[in-house]
Amino acid sequence: MPFSEAVKAHLAEKQHTNAPQTIVEKGRTYKDFTDVFGDLDLNLYTKPELLQWKTADLKRGIQANRINKRLGQVNDLFNWAIRHGHYTGSDYPALMKKPDHYWLPIVALFSGARREEIASLTAANVKTVDGVACFQIEGGKTADARRLIPVHPTLLALGFMDYAQHVKGMGYKFLFPHLVDGANGRGKNAGLQFSKLLDKRGIKDDRKVFHSFRHSVITRLHATGANIAHVMQLTGHRGEAGQTVHFGTYTHDVGLQALADTLGKLAYPMTFDGVKAKDPTFRMFYQWWKVEQDSQKRHQEAKEKRRVKTETKSQAWHSNLSMSI
């Protein structure tokens, strides 16, 4: 049930027990909530969203007693939804609450691309070429890293193209715009998060790291009897030591559909239905992130105004002092 429909039904029921002014106040609170997170299905909202909303209220300067009242009104709505069977809770994995936490490992598992290659993708890199959904690696560890990789059918089923289209529609350059480019690239934090996930699952083998996805893809593709030239082009290994000029020329001419057919044979002995996000576009996260960005921007602008004001006063004081002397 959409949030807005739940609000209408909830307030209609509460009209019998709440004062008219209370109904109006609750309506305003619920509108503020959707202004921040959007009018989504009830089950897409989780406890972290309430905490984020509380943080946003604090940054807006709302008094603590009013914030608590607003949180109570939202809790009242969700308790009503639970009693009526409209809210069952989200099944988002706790460590997959950000787009990069969720998508980077899965994309690596079904492409063999390196962590930094995925983290550095732009929204425009994800496209359809000759009828094949794919993403373009601009460059990387080797001279042959630049390549087109078809989007695996499992990624399509999980909503990867929907996510890319959503980010592109918001006007962001990078596919994961919230990542910060540092000395170790844009994918460092996602790598650290994956390490935490392994620890949480009790996986202590030092050989099990993010890069293991790449090895798994190559190994499993070879196990399917895939053309080695296709595997090398998909993983960006063309032209490496030991390969002949003939081999390099041959792999360069491999068509995208042929690569898609080869990659489509990649499979694992499990189903991925259980890891599918209810909202693969992570719309709620980006709505919250925009609120955070806007808040930081206002903070910086206010800080700059104070700096200029202080500097102007200081200059005026020195000017008056010089004149008096």
Side-chain angles (χ1 to χ4, degrees):
M1 172 183 279
F3 188 87
S4 58
E5 290 187 15
V7 168
K8 290 179 182 178
H10 172 60
L11 292 181
E13 184 176 304
K14 286 293 182 179
Q15 285 181 345
H16 302 291
T17 56
N18 287 173
Q21 182 59 32
T22 301
I23 296 296
V24 172
E25 289 179 359
K26 285 185 175 181
R28 289 172 181 166
T29 297
Y30 301 146
K31 182 181 182 304
D32 286 347
F33 190 83
T34 55
D35 285 344
V36 174
F37 296 113
D39 184 17
L40 307 177
D41 185 276
L42 281 175
N43 285 288
L44 292 179
Y45 302 103
T46 59
K47 188 175 181 179
E49 276 72 58
L50 292 179
L51 295 177
Q52 292 166 7
W53 191 51
K54 179 180 179 179
T55 300
D57 272 0
L58 286 170
K59 290 183 177 180
R60 289 169 57 192
I62 297 178
Q63 296 299 314
N65 60 343
R66 188 183 170 205
I67 290 176
N68 291 332
K69 183 176 182 180
R70 283 156 60 84
L71 285 172
Q73 291 170 338
V74 173
N75 278 325
D76 189 31
L77 171 64
F78 279 98
N79 286 332
W80 171 88
I82 291 172
R83 291 195 303 272
H84 288 75
H86 300 309
Y87 183 80
T88 58
S90 174
D91 62 354
Y92 273 25
L95 295 179
M96 291 182 177
K97 59 187 177 182
K98 291 185 178 181
D100 55 311
H101 295 174
Y102 178 82
W103 281 117
L104 260 69
I106 297 177
V107 172
L109 184 63
F110 285 100
S111 69
R114 301 174 180 89
R115 185 190 71 196
E116 193 59 33
E117 290 177 334
I118 303 170
S120 298
L121 286 171
T122 66
N125 286 148
V126 183
K127 52 194 172 183
T128 300
V129 178
D130 296 334
V132 178
C134 58
F135 54 91
Q136 181 173 354
I137 303 297
E138 296 286 359
K141 186 176 179 180
T142 69
D144 290 300
R146 181 180 172 86
R147 63 199 185 278
L148 280 173
I149 302 178
V151 177
H152 190 279
T154 299
L155 293 179
L156 293 175
L158 292 176
F160 178 70
M161 296 300 287
D162 294 331
Y163 170 75
Q165 189 60 42
H166 181 67
V167 173
K168 189 181 298 184
M170 290 188 293
Y172 293 120
K173 176 182 177 181
F174 287 99
L175 191 62
F176 302 100
H178 57 289
L179 296 182
V180 178
D181 192 5
N184 295 306
R186 298 176 62 85
K188 178 184 177 181
N189 287 337
L192 292 175
Q193 192 67 22
F194 181 70
S195 296
K196 291 180 181 178
L197 177 61
L198 293 182
D199 290 339
K200 189 177 181 68
R201 296 292 182 267
I203 301 175
K204 304 298 183 181
D205 190 340
D206 292 339
R207 296 170 298 176
K208 304 297 183 184
V209 295
F210 195 98
H211 200 71
S212 300
F213 290 128
R214 182 171 173 81
H215 294 304
S216 296
V217 169
I218 294 173
T219 300
R220 286 188 172 276
L221 283 177
H222 284 316
T224 67
N227 187 315
I228 189 173
H230 294 193
V231 178
M232 293 300 180
Q233 183 161 335
L234 285 167
T235 56
H237 274 163
R238 293 186 297 108
E240 291 189 352
Q243 303 299 343
T244 65
V245 175
H246 172 73
F247 181 83
T249 302
Y250 175 68
T251 57
H252 181 72
D253 293 333
V254 175
L256 195 55
Q257 185 58 58
L259 292 177
D261 293 340
T262 294
L263 189 60
K265 297 175 184 177
L266 177 65
Y268 297 92
M270 60 177 290
T271 175
F272 285 82
D273 293 340
V275 301
K276 184 174 183 178
K278 290 187 176 180
D279 179 18
T281 66
F282 285 82
R283 183 187 311 172
M284 187 180 295
F285 169 83
Y286 281 115
Q287 288 174 337
W288 166 79
W289 187 57
K290 187 177 186 304
V291 170
E292 288 291 294
Q293 280 189 308
D294 291 343
S295 176
Q296 291 176 12
K297 182 180 179 181
R298 289 193 298 270
H299 176 74
Q300 289 299 324
E301 289 176 345
K303 184 177 180 181
E304 178 63 16
K305 286 181 179 179
R306 289 195 299 270
R307 185 194 67 78
V308 172
K309 185 177 182 180
T310 301
E311 187 176 290
T312 301
K313 285 184 177 180
S314 176
Q315 290 174 348
W317 184 84
H318 283 292
S319 177
N320 292 334
L321 180 63
S322 298
M323 291 176 66
S324 62
I325 295 176

